[in-house]
Amino acid sequence: CLNLLETPTEGKIFVDDEQINAPKVDVNRIRQKMGMVFQQFNLFPHLTVMENLTLAPVLLKKMTKEQAVEKGKGLAEKAESYPNQLSGGQKQRIAIARALEMNPEIMLFDEPTSALDPEMVGEVLDVMKDLARSGMTMVVVTHEMGFAREVATRVLFMDQGIVMESGKPEDVFGNPQNERTKQFLSKVL
């Protein structure tokens, strides 16, 4: 809903004091502010890592091909590899790097570790921790409660599409007020 890939059936969504799900809002302008990382990586299988990284910035004329390649060189050891030659953790790190290539103001993560082997989860969470430390605004849907507790500045606990509890991590995790939140945390912590 934040990237307007799904249209909310009710309610209002505001980003920077602008209602983004209002009639006649330029959806493409809103999406240019947001990078999105999906559960299943969504890399183009027929493109190399470098091609995956440079496609959108060049097509959308945010960068020249040379600028995009220069920015993507941090992953040079895998630049000519194809997604099927990468581990799950490597694919997810490439997906994060691809979203960052567009210089977003906000990063959206939809269960970014759910498709990973347990050994790869830590690698991806470390990348996300680095982003948080750099000041990147992130909205993360996750079941990684330790990560949420450590990195978040605000936590929302949702159940069946309804926000049951919202607050600082130390309050939501340390002293939940909602009975459903208490039940969930008692099972996962």
Side-chain angles (χ1 to χ4, degrees):
C1 289
L2 285 171
N3 210 1
L4 300 173
L5 296 174
E6 293 284 342
T7 305
T9 54
E10 59 183 270
K12 298 176 183 179
I13 301 172
F14 289 86
V15 175
D16 292 332
D17 297 324
E18 177 184 9
Q19 184 182 343
I20 65 170
N21 63 329
K24 299 184 182 180
V25 167
D26 181 357
V27 174
N28 290 325
R29 182 181 56 79
I30 299 300
R31 287 182 181 148
Q32 287 181 1
K33 296 180 178 184
M34 298 183 195
M36 187 159 181
V37 179
F38 299 88
Q39 293 178 19
Q40 298 297 327
F41 326 122
N42 291 4
L43 298 176
F44 296 108
H46 63 290
L47 300 178
T48 65
V49 165
M50 188 57 74
E51 290 167 337
N52 266 284
L53 290 172
T54 59
L55 181 67
V58 172
L59 278 178
L60 296 174
K61 301 189 183 332
K62 284 195 159 215
M63 294 178 203
T64 65
K65 175 89 172 175
E66 294 75 25
Q67 290 170 321
V69 167
E70 185 62 32
K71 189 170 182 191
K73 278 188 178 175
L75 301 159
E77 78 274 2
K78 298 293 180 184
E80 298 308 313
S81 299
Y82 287 87
N84 68 351
Q85 298 170 311
L86 305 174
S87 71
Q90 289 169 326
K91 289 176 190 176
Q92 195 61 298
R93 289 194 309 273
I94 299 301
I96 293 169
R98 181 180 60 183
L100 290 170
E101 281 280 304
M102 298 299 291
N103 298 317
E105 296 173 22
I106 301 169
M107 286 288 288
L108 308 175
F109 292 91
D110 179 16
E111 286 283 357
T113 59
S114 67
L116 300 179
D117 293 333
E119 293 176 339
M120 298 293 142
V121 169
E123 291 180 25
V124 171
L125 293 180
D126 286 344
V127 170
M128 294 172 67
K129 287 176 188 177
D130 288 344
L131 280 175
R133 282 190 285 271
S134 76
M136 174 61 73
T137 298
M138 300 188 300
V139 177
V140 183
V141 175
T142 187
H143 287 96
E144 298 286 343
M145 294 300 104
F147 171 77
R149 188 178 214 163
E150 178 184 345
V151 176
T153 55
R154 182 171 179 202
V155 173
L156 286 90
F157 174 75
M158 295 181 72
D159 185 40
Q160 298 185 22
I162 297 170
V163 175
M164 306 300 281
E165 189 147 1
S166 172
K168 295 179 181 177
E170 57 268 22
D171 296 333
V172 173
F173 288 105
N175 189 24
Q177 301 301 302
N178 181 279
E179 197 54 44
R180 179 66 185 103
T181 310
K182 290 176 186 177
Q183 288 172 354
F184 175 78
L185 291 175
S186 73
K187 292 178 182 172
V188 299
L189 293 180

